[in-house]
Amino acid sequence: MNRELLRQLPQIDEVLRQDEVRAAAAEWGHGVAAAYVREAIGALRREILEGGEPEVSARAAARLCLRFARQAEQPSLRPVVNATGVVLHTNLGRAPLCTQAAQAVAQVAQSYNTLEYDPETGRRGSRYSHVEGLLCSLLGCESAMVVNNNAAAVLLVLSTMVSGREAIVSRGELVEIGGSFRVPEIMEMSGGILREVGTTNKTHPADYENAVCERTGAVLKVHTSNYRIMGFTEEVSAQQTAEIAHRFDLPMIYDLGSGAMCDSARAGLGDEPTLAQAMASGADVVTFSGDKLLGGPQAGIIAGKKQWIDRMKKNALTRALRIDKLTLAALEATLRVYRDAELPYSQVPALRMLCMTQAELEERAQTLAQRLQQAGVQCRCVASHGQVGGGSVPTRLLPTFCVEICDGRLSPDALDKRLRARRVPVVGRIAHDRLLLDVRTLLTGDEDIAAAAVTEVFESV
Ligand SMILES: *Cc1c(COP(=O)(O)O)cnc(C)c1O
């Protein structure tokens, strides 16, 4: 052990006086900076005790301190480059916001606002008023409100419309979304009683009709947004379900989940039911997510008959499920884009990605591949398949183009790990023992980050 070196270790104050550390301390606060300095000096001491001979000047300690800090000062919630090809990646935050929505959030975040204030009358306003008019005109419904997410929306709807009574649901629609939203459990939580009818693969109109009794409160249809039952199947359409419900003077609730406000075919979503169809089915109340196919912020939107929505606004649960001002700002701006028939396809990132043509995708992949090849990375442009994601349209594979890295200097797993360890992680997908970067889900500027990441990772091996 080198006693002389240990004696030479700098004092905390000495390191804090170094220019770079002083500048950083102004940003983080003195206490936080001192903790990093202590950590750095501790690391140097350990190295000496283990027989090492590190440089022990105050400058060296400052450098080490800043290295620790650079790691630790990264926000835990931070941007990543999504090169997975999954457009609505739930683990990567589902839908990225459109520029209009991001600007609206920034504007509202640092100022007071009209959240529950009506500047015209100077009186208290309602947070639900900001998007209700837009939703009503876009969806053609009488009334609408918005809560924290679609799970909350379904809970509130069931609590208001079913509680203490039975809701009839097909056994083919008892969905689980993302391991935490399960129709039977949410029903129980709401105080409603699940009345299952039919079988997993087949449910007939008579199954609903025969289940109606004096305890029945509503008929519920759930869009099986994250799975499909194939083969010998029969499902009662939303329209038929509404007809049956109304014949017995019962309300029909339709949990659509995915919430496409666009033309499904144009967005490459096949026959995915749209909001327009759900509203036209005659459902009394429709619920859907803000951050799935709508491409907005996390939110749960409830649209339908005024008589029901008015009761939901008064439900005590609403206070616990309420939407916050930043989300409302983003949602309002996103919905404004949808007032135009064309704008969403170019402005809403999720829709823009879904609508990309094969030619466009191939060109993007070719360009990225060439860039990497020029930097000495072996790769090529390949045709492949991505997914919509976010529990939407599960059986639909999106034909796409990817950059396949086939450079033997790193295994796909090792490359993937290094790309994920970057300050801005680059997340691709591994298929057939190759790492693929799907260009469909790259946002503006992401190509540069991805290209630099791959190049630097290979330069460092
Ligand atoms: C996604 C989904 C939900 C849950 O919505 P969140 O916004 O994730 O809470 C509920 N029901 C259906 C049918 C869904 O697709």
Side-chain angles (χ1 to χ4, degrees), residues 143-145 302-313:
S143 183
M145 70 179 289
I302 308 170
K305 297 264 161 65
K306 184 169 182 323
Q307 125 194 45
W308 294 113
I309 309 267
D310 282 350
R311 284 173 58 180
M312 288 174 213
K313 286 178 183 165

Side-chain angles (χ1 to χ4, degrees), residues 94 149-151 177 181 222-223 225 255-258 289 291-292:
R94 285 203 186 148
N149 59 11
N150 191 39
I177 310 269
F181 175 91
V222 186
H223 175 38
S225 51
D255 176 22
L256 187 65
S258 44
S289 298
D291 55 354
K292 289 186 181 171

Side-chain angles (χ1 to χ4, degrees), residues 169-176 182-184 194 196 222 224 227:
V169 192
S170 160
R171 289 199 171 88
E173 299 175 1
L174 298 176
V175 311
E176 170 178 310
R182 297 174 126 194
V183 170
L194 184 66
E196 300 174 28
V222 186
T224 58
Y227 67 95

